[in-house]
Amino acid sequence: MKIAVFVSGGGTNLQAIIDNTKNGILQDVEITLVLSSSKDAYALERAANNGIKTAVVSKKDFASLEEWDETMVAEVEKSGAELVVLAGYLSLLGPEFVGKYSNRIINIHPALIPSFCGAGMYGIRPHQAALAKGVKVSGATVHFVNENYDDGPILLQKAVDVLPDDTPETLQKRIMKECEWQILPQAIRLIADGKVIIENNICYVR
Ligand code: GAR
């Protein structure tokens, strides 16, 4: 299966996918495009280091949202990707893109949705919010993407304990290592194997 991975920052989730295409559970998966919303994302270097084609498409470089949306569609069409994986991608996708790739876009979110998600809840913020609320478990979620932030059918979740001396940074790191870098490749595996079904906005693994 060919996939496109969308990024905005450091790209540790992209790295987890790359590593699995080489030595892990995704050896039949090809990353045909890494698309970044920012030219400064370190994820672009990770892609280049692995010979993966990259593109930078920033909303702010376009005269209209429609033009940006169309360019995003064109980039993915050109790549031949059957699945789009948002791996730390921080822009809200446009309506044309979401319509065109309906049920073929997944996102990793660093909290147990529906907690600590939605607009503005990205990066370190879900972890700050989790600690401020005093939750005893947190984790990560892979879900399908619709036109709203963190809102589509949930495919996989994994939890870890919140420890008494956690800071947002220690919690973030543990969730990345023990949850995100595990369940994002697993989700791609399940989709590549045709095991994922969505019915009435609920996702089932069969
Ligand atoms: C990850 O923790 C990812 O879950 C989060 O951004 C980080 C990106 O790290 N995504 C969101 O918050 C989306 N709402 P990475 O660039 O090292 O993969």
Side-chain angles (χ1 to χ4, degrees), residues 7-15 43 46 86-90 107-111 118 121-124 126-127 140 149-150 172 175-176 180-181:
V7 296
S8 296
T12 63
N13 278 286
L14 167 66
Q15 191 66 54
R46 295 181 190 270
L86 310 189
Y89 182 73
L90 300 181
N107 177 49
I108 179 88
H109 182 72
M121 273 293 175
Y122 59 85
I124 198 73
H127 309 296
Y149 280 111
D150 306 326
Q172 178 184 45
I175 288 174
M176 280 181 148
E180 297 186 45
W181 303 342

Side-chain angles (χ1 to χ4, degrees), residues 107-143 149-152 154 156-160 162 171 175 180:
N107 177 49
I108 179 88
H109 182 72
L112 297 172
I113 290 175
S115 291
F116 315 122
C117 62
M121 273 293 175
Y122 59 85
I124 198 73
R125 294 185 191 174
H127 309 296
Q128 290 167 333
L131 291 182
K133 188 68 189 174
V135 293
K136 304 302 178 245
V137 293
S138 191
T141 302
V142 177
H143 66 93
Y149 280 111
D150 306 326
D151 187 43
I154 291 170
L156 290 177
Q157 292 187 301
K158 189 161 183 232
V160 292
V162 176
L171 183 59
I175 288 174
E180 297 186 45

Side-chain angles (χ1 to χ4, degrees), residues 7 22 28 40 46 53-54 61 65 67 79 97 107-108 129 140 166-167 169 175 188-189 192-193:
V7 296
K22 292 189 162 167
D28 57 344
D40 300 322
R46 295 181 190 270
K53 191 178 172 301
T54 60
D61 295 338
L65 278 181
E67 236 177 276
S79 77
F97 192 94
N107 177 49
I108 179 88
D166 261 330
T167 63
E169 289 75 19
I175 288 174
I188 297 167
R189 178 76 262 147
D193 289 340

